[in-house]
Amino acid sequence: MTGMARLGFLPRAYLRRYRCLTVLPLAGIVCLTLWASWPAFFAPPPRFALSPLPASQAEKTPRLESAVINQPDPLRVHAASIAALPDGRLFAVWFGGQREGSTDVKIYAADYQNGAWSPQRVLATPAQTTADTGRFARKLGNPVAFVTPRGELWVVYVSVALGGWAASHLNLIASPDLGKNWQPARRLVTEPFLNLSTLVKGAPVFFENGDIGLPVYYEMAGKSGELLTLSPAGEVRRVTRMDHGSRSLQPIVLVETPTRAVSLLRDTDDLPPHRVWRTETTDAGLHWSPLAQTDLPNPNAALAALRLEDGRLLAVANDVESKRFRLSLLVSVDDGWHWRVLHRFEDKEAFAGRQQERGAFHALLAEDLRTLGQMPDPKAVLLNVERNLCGTGPHCIWRYGYPYLIRAADGDFHLVYTWNDGFIRHLRFNEAWLEGKS
Amino acid sequence: MIPVVLATLAYGLALTLLVSRPWLRTHPKRMALALAAICALLHLPVLGISLLVVLRGVLGDLSIVTLVFLTSLFFQGPRPLLPSPRIFTLMGFAFFLLSFGLSPLHPYAWGYASAILPCLAGGLAFLLWLRGRYAFSLALLAALLGWRLHWLDSTNLWDYLLDAPLVVVALVHAVFCALPKSPFRRGKMTHPD
């Protein structure tokens, strides 16, 4: 059998007749290769866009406001994120269902306008994600909302077809009119093996050319943070890993200059000490330094952080090595190596290490409710939290986690986090309150 | 739209080749009819969801190289299987193992906007053409073309060159070839390239 005949699906007579023209296919191969690789030769190196400076706050009175965003149904909620919209509104998303990972989990959203949160609404479901992407999605997970440099509101969220979180995919839904209308969800292809195992948690960073850098993470055989770069149209431009092995995930990226940024990562190492990991880039995320431990304790829990205009880093984290009974505001003046506590948003350290009787738990919970601010029916809140934290046993434990922190254009800070598994708490504080704690 | 068409074709070809029997393979018209029927069945909703949606959700889209190989198999009858299964198995395993995040190398990242990988793929296509392995060469060129024209949802060239099902098939085939009683070892079946 001749080589030409191996083409199989072309007529042999045709191939024999034009055998003398073998140079043409070779020239075609060279041209096609050059054409395919051409754009990469002229791609400029990426540069981070620096966040615009927030408005200087004339208000000198310290202010800390609290609200609960969601309703008691569904029973469990988690992984909230919040975006400040250009028109002054806030937009929050989270997932909720009977339990994390159940097939009834949906992505919920609410708006904050004129000092109050709107009723929650469903933003995405497994069925809708399946219909939009043309790919089966059985359950949903972490969503992250943000406004792109083009002024569109995007939500990137996790879906799973089979298996657990290690088998996650990312999906993107975009709203060109800041949440009034949403385009169909589309799947982001980010991993080679069946596109499995990319999840999202951290707030995005932006590039000078309008690209969006989304801190994501991989957790299948290994666990590591990644910086996923998307074009303004939502196409994946590149993925860079921050580490290898299985000691870290859920990165937060804090940009300092157009080429330099620090990333802080959740600790997933089996071995103590359990500390937040730190890495940095000097080429706008193309390469990352080897991970090093900071002095901030971490109980294998997500953290949130942002950079202030004077260079200080601000973080909200569970600053303990085990469990999530405390959530603190911390500051670092040395680029994330060392941290000092400014304030405890939640602290049940007195009950750490021992389970609590329901009676004592009720009393403390009722006390907490007085500080929550806007919320649904307090009885429903109590019932929900008790079901989540006490289960069917006689004892209860407290849980606060998954913080997400942003700073709006007016200078106010907005923090959302999971409050006792059943509610998304929103805290808003101003610069005067922060400086009062410093 | 294009990714759905290509996925329908790829999974349709794969299923047709899987279910077809020799009496069917010797009749091109029956094969074509079987392919058309299976492609239609892939879109038929059962309990509100079609098989294609499940396959794309669980396995993702098959690569362009796989699609070209399946097309080649479909037209060539039962004789050839994958070209160079050992190379594919080795490449695929190394690639997927490295992508699992256990080593500092992350070859999947090279497939996005780097000029190196398309140049390597083009260079390999050039060499394969010179050596007379036209099907393999055309598969690589189709992958390059598809990547540049964005035929799949992915923007990564690796997803046009390689996929996990292809590597698994290559592995099974390589193991089968290595068996003492394999028909490949006895010369009953030959590789196309």
Side-chain angles (χ1 to χ4, degrees):
Chain A
M1 183 171 61
T2 65
M4 279 292 188
R6 289 175 188 162
L7 265 172
F9 46 86
L10 293 181
R12 292 184 185 190
Y14 176 89
L15 294 170
R16 281 194 209 102
R17 185 175 172 188
Y18 292 102
R19 192 181 293 171
C20 59
L21 300 177
T22 48
V23 70
L24 278 184
L26 293 175
I29 291 172
V30 172
C31 289
L32 178 62
T33 305
L34 284 175
W35 172 69
S37 50
W38 200 253
F41 286 116
F42 300 101
R47 286 171 61 84
F48 289 124
L50 301 180
S51 303
L53 290 177
S56 176
Q57 292 195 316
E59 186 184 14
K60 299 298 176 200
T61 311
R63 177 165 46 83
L64 173 66
E65 298 165 1
S66 170
V68 168
I69 301 177
N70 63 306
Q71 269 83 55
D73 185 30
L75 180 65
R76 285 195 172 224
V77 293
H78 198 36
S81 74
I82 188 167
L85 306 186
D87 58 12
R89 284 181 300 142
L90 298 170
F91 177 82
V93 285
W94 63 93
F95 75 77
Q98 279 305 302
R99 60 177 173 78
E100 181 177 332
S102 66
T103 53
D104 71 328
V105 166
K106 301 180 181 80
I107 304 294
Y108 292 88
D111 300 295
Y112 182 85
Q113 196 170 14
N114 303 323
W117 283 97
S118 69
Q120 68 186 28
R121 60 184 184 277
V122 174
L123 192 66
T125 65
Q128 177 218 326
T129 304
T130 299
D132 286 355
T133 61
R135 295 159 188 266
F136 178 54
R138 195 166 57 90
K139 56 189 186 185
L140 304 183
N142 297 2
V144 166
F146 54 93
V147 177
T148 69
R150 278 186 181 177
E152 294 181 349
L153 177 59
W154 284 11
V155 175
V156 176
Y157 64 97
V158 165
S159 70
V160 177
L162 288 176
W165 293 131
S168 297
H169 316 279
L170 291 184
N171 307 278
L172 165 67
I173 46 173
S175 170
D177 51 11
L178 299 178
K180 291 188 185 79
N181 298 287
W182 292 89
Q183 293 168 349
R186 55 189 152 135
R187 177 67 49 86
L188 301 177
V189 183
T190 53
E191 296 294 342
F193 185 71
L194 310 179
N195 190 26
L196 294 182
S197 204
T198 307
L199 298 95
V200 64
K201 169 66 182 82
V205 295
F206 302 107
F207 292 89
E208 287 182 352
N209 64 353
D211 282 357
I212 297 129
L214 197 57
V216 298
Y217 56 103
Y218 175 84
E219 57 163 304
M220 193 187 275
K223 290 178 182 170
S224 63
E226 295 178 338
L227 185 62
L228 174 71
T229 304
L230 301 172
S231 73
E235 291 175 344
V236 179
R237 285 241 205 255
R238 62 181 170 272
V239 178
T240 50
R241 284 212 172 133
M242 297 175 177
D243 189 31
H244 63 279
S246 58
R247 57 185 174 173
S248 64
L249 42 73
Q250 295 182 338
I252 302 296
V253 178
L254 306 163
V255 172
E256 184 184 1
T257 71
T259 54
R260 189 173 185 282
V262 167
S263 179
L264 303 169
L265 298 101
R266 165 179 172 172
D267 172 70
T268 57
D269 206 346
D270 292 333
L271 302 172
H274 298 295
R275 298 283 185 271
V276 166
W277 294 94
R278 179 191 182 281
T279 177
E280 60 185 59
T281 176
T282 54
D283 55 10
L286 294 180
H287 301 89
W288 294 87
S289 66
L291 289 196
Q293 284 189 320
T294 68
D295 74 343
L296 176 56
N298 186 258
N300 193 351
L303 71 154
L306 53 78
R307 187 183 287 277
L308 299 175
E309 57 268 29
D310 61 7
R312 288 178 297 165
L313 302 186
L314 208 58
V316 177
N318 302 103
D319 56 331
V320 287
E321 286 209 23
S322 175
K323 309 295 181 189
R324 298 178 184 178
F325 54 81
R326 192 161 79 192
L327 192 71
S328 306
L329 178 69
L330 306 107
V331 69
S332 169
V333 294
D334 59 0
D335 231 11
W337 289 108
H338 300 90
W339 294 86
R340 180 169 60 85
V341 176
L342 295 179
H343 181 72
R344 307 268 193 222
F345 291 119
E346 308 283 358
D347 192 2
K348 294 290 189 292
E349 190 175 15
F351 311 101
R354 58 192 175 92
Q355 293 174 318
Q356 207 165 6
E357 297 290 342
R358 280 191 185 230
F361 177 82
H362 276 164
L364 281 167
L365 191 57
E367 205 172 295
D368 281 354
L369 287 191
R370 285 198 286 274
T371 67
L372 280 183
Q374 176 199 341
M375 65 173 162
D377 176 18
K379 285 180 184 169
V381 175
L382 277 171
L383 188 66
N384 185 317
V385 171
E386 190 178 338
R387 284 175 67 189
N388 278 323
L389 302 187
C390 306
T392 53
H395 300 104
C396 314
I397 54 168
W398 306 88
R399 266 195 298 268
Y400 313 99
Y402 261 60
Y404 192 96
L405 178 68
I406 61 164
R407 191 170 191 189
D410 64 2
D412 272 6
F413 298 85
H414 297 275
L415 168 68
V416 287
Y417 60 93
T418 309
W419 189 81
N420 288 322
D421 293 356
F423 293 93
I424 302 300
R425 188 178 192 185
H426 169 218
L427 292 176
R428 175 182 191 161
F429 53 92
N430 64 359
E431 206 172 334
W433 182 88
L434 177 66
E435 294 311 325
K437 298 288 178 184
S438 295
Chain B
M1 186 63 186
I2 295 176
V4 176
V5 172
L6 292 179
T8 306
L9 195 57
Y11 282 116
L13 283 166
L15 291 175
T16 307
L17 289 166
L18 272 177
V19 301
S20 64
R21 293 289 174 266
W23 63 267
L24 185 63
R25 291 189 186 186
T26 51
H27 293 81
K29 281 185 184 171
R30 287 182 193 169
M31 279 291 277
L33 275 175
L35 174 64
I38 286 176
C39 285
L41 284 174
L42 280 172
H43 287 273
L44 188 72
V46 179
L47 299 174
I49 192 164
S50 70
L51 180 58
L52 184 69
V53 167
V54 174
L55 287 170
R56 293 187 78 206
V58 175
L59 298 177
D61 287 336
L62 298 180
S63 66
I64 299 295
V65 167
T66 302
L67 178 60
V68 174
F69 287 166
L70 288 169
T71 308
S72 173
L73 281 173
F74 185 82
F75 284 106
Q76 287 182 339
R79 180 177 46 81
L81 287 174
L82 284 170
S84 312
R86 289 185 193 87
I87 294 176
F88 253 99
T89 309
L90 281 174
M91 272 181 58
F93 258 78
F95 173 70
F96 286 120
L97 279 177
L98 288 171
S99 299
F100 285 153
L102 296 173
S103 86
L105 272 183
H106 186 212
Y108 188 67
W110 308 337
Y112 281 111
S114 160
I116 297 170
L117 192 62
C119 285
L120 281 176
L124 185 59
F126 190 93
L127 290 175
L128 287 167
W129 189 275
L130 283 178
R131 294 195 62 182
R133 297 190 168 190
Y134 302 109
F136 204 165
S137 180
L138 281 178
L140 292 175
L141 293 174
L144 274 178
L145 188 69
W147 176 61
R148 189 73 162 80
L149 296 178
H150 205 160
W151 285 350
L152 304 179
D153 287 341
S154 173
T155 52
N156 192 304
L157 179 56
W158 282 112
D159 292 319
Y160 293 74
L161 294 170
L162 208 58
D163 56 64
L166 178 64
V167 173
V168 170
V169 170
L171 173 68
V172 170
H173 188 231
V175 169
F176 191 65
C177 286
L179 292 175
K181 291 183 178 178
S182 164
F184 293 100
R185 290 176 70 97
R186 288 182 301 189
K188 288 185 179 175
M189 296 176 81
T190 56
H191 297 300
D193 284 312

